[in-house]
């Protein structure tokens, strides 16, 4: 099972992000904000269902309400701290509560492509920004897989789905800056490698005790919920300027609910 969870983490991160980069580089060149937001909104809905109807019920059964709530709060705090670190790195600490209007702004790419000489620095900033967000997702896959193969596989599929539009959003400004399209695909796939690192951490945590599994699962759930309700949904509504993103999110919730009950 350990090998399977490692593979699932790699597929969710590297293949999910890489596929998003491939779609942008080969098919779309520059995906529209509407398309990106719809994909993100659907993934957010699926993610919400899996956390609420998959992860949290599992942690209730394993360790009870107190551990579950503690883990949720821990995950929320960790993501808030990571966001603050990313804002400082990308020199946007004064705007860390700003609602962004484009996918590039959302993923800290507003300073991305104006001069090709700045490409390396900008690429590193983007790798850090997305890479930090991918670690807790990998922990969730590893920890969930240590407890239940089915839950770990379901999380991996959901996270891969979530990573596709992220890869598309990252690839667009890189392509605009003149980076070779196959190098863009490689860089977006590289962004997902931290999911594999998180998966290994999750597997190690899962081998300690049931309480450690429950704490890591609920923490990952808290991190995901913060990303969904603190970032994806508000930004999607602003970018699309209508309620379509909400409808797509609700559809994603229904699909996620069906998936957790299969």
């Amino acid at each position: 099972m350990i090998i399977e969870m490692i593979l699932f983490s790699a597929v969710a991160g590297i293949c999910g992000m890489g596929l998003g980069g491939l779609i942008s580089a080969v098919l779309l060149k520059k995906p529209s904000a509407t398309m990106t937001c719809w994909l993100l909104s659907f993934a957010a809905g699926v993610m919400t269902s899996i956390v609420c109807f998959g992860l949290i019920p599992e942690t209730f059964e394993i360790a009870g309400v107190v551990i579950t709530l503690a883990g949720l709060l821990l995950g929320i705090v960790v993501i808030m701290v990571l966001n603050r670190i990313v804002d400082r790195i990308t020199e946007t600490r004064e705007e860390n509560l700003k609602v962004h209007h484009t996918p590039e702004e959302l993923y800290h790419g507003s300073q991305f492509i104006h001069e090709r000489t700045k490409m390396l620095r900008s690429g590193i900033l983007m790798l850090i920004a997305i890479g930090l967000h991918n670690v807790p997702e990998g922990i969730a896959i590893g920890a969930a897989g240590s407890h239940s193969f089915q839950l770990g596989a379901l999380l991996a599929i959901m996270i891969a789905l979530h990573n596709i539009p992220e890869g598309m959003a990252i690839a667009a400004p890189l392509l605009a800056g003149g980076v070779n399209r196959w190098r863009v695909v490689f860089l977006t796939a590289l962004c997902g490698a931290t999911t594999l690192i998180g998966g290994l951490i999750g597997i190690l945590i899962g081998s300690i005790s049931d309480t450690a599994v429950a704490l890591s699962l609920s923490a990952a759930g808290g991190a995901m919920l913060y990303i969904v309700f603190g970032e994806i949904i508000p930004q999607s509504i602003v970018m699309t300027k209508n309620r379509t993103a909400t409808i797509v999110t609700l559809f994603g919730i229904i699909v996620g609910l069906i998936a957790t009950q299969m």
Side-chain angles (χ1 to χ4, degrees):
M1 185 180 294
I2 293 176
I3 295 177
E4 285 87 346
M5 286 305 106
I6 292 175
L7 290 175
F8 280 150
S9 299
V11 169
I14 298 173
C15 295
M17 296 286 293
L19 179 58
L22 183 65
I23 291 172
S24 285
V26 177
L27 300 178
L28 300 177
K29 302 300 181 183
K30 183 175 176 56
S32 68
T34 299
M35 176 181 293
T36 301
C37 289
W38 283 5
L39 289 170
L40 283 172
S41 297
F42 178 75
V46 176
M47 185 184 300
T48 300
S49 277
I50 292 178
V51 171
C52 294
F53 304 116
L55 285 181
I56 293 178
E58 287 286 341
T59 58
F60 279 157
E61 291 183 9
I62 297 171
V65 176
V66 175
I67 295 296
T68 300
L69 292 178
L72 287 171
L73 291 174
L74 176 62
I76 292 170
V77 170
V78 167
I79 288 297
M80 291 178 68
V81 171
L82 289 178
N83 281 347
R84 179 59 63 86
I85 292 173
V86 169
D87 287 334
R88 287 182 178 276
I89 292 173
T90 56
E91 300 177 354
T92 58
R93 57 184 177 275
E94 74 280 1
E95 299 179 352
N96 57 358
L97 294 178
K98 175 183 176 182
V99 177
H100 306 297
H101 293 79
T102 67
E104 290 79 12
E105 289 180 0
L106 174 59
Y107 291 108
H108 302 275
S110 57
Q111 62 278 67
F112 221 113
I113 313 296
H114 297 291
E115 298 179 17
R116 293 188 182 185
T117 56
K118 295 182 179 180
M119 181 62 63
L120 179 60
R121 175 178 178 274
S122 299
I124 291 174
L125 293 179
M126 291 293 285
L127 288 174
I128 293 172
I130 300 301
L132 288 174
H133 282 83
N134 285 340
V135 172
E137 295 175 353
I139 292 175
I141 295 173
S146 299
H147 176 69
S148 167
F149 177 84
Q150 181 178 0
L151 182 60
L154 185 61
L155 273 173
I157 294 171
M158 176 274 296
I159 290 170
L161 177 66
H162 168 68
N163 283 339
I164 291 173
E166 286 193 349
M168 292 170 63
I170 294 172
L174 280 172
L175 291 166
V179 179
N180 177 275
R181 61 181 179 176
W182 297 114
R183 186 171 296 177
V184 168
V185 174
F186 171 75
L187 289 173
T188 52
L190 185 62
C191 283
T194 51
T195 306
L196 178 57
I197 297 173
L200 293 172
I201 295 173
I203 291 170
L204 291 174
I205 293 174
S207 65
I208 297 174
S209 66
D210 287 343
T211 301
V213 171
L215 190 62
S216 60
L217 284 177
S218 56
M224 293 178 190
L225 290 177
Y226 181 86
I227 291 172
V228 167
F229 292 100
E231 298 180 8
I232 296 177
I233 293 177
Q235 304 296 344
S236 296
I237 292 173
V238 169
M239 289 183 213
T240 56
K241 298 179 176 62
N242 56 51
R243 294 186 176 89
T244 307
T246 302
I247 296 172
V248 174
T249 301
L250 292 173
F251 178 67
I253 290 174
I254 294 171
V255 172
L257 176 58
I258 294 172
T260 58
Q261 302 305 312
M262 292 180 61

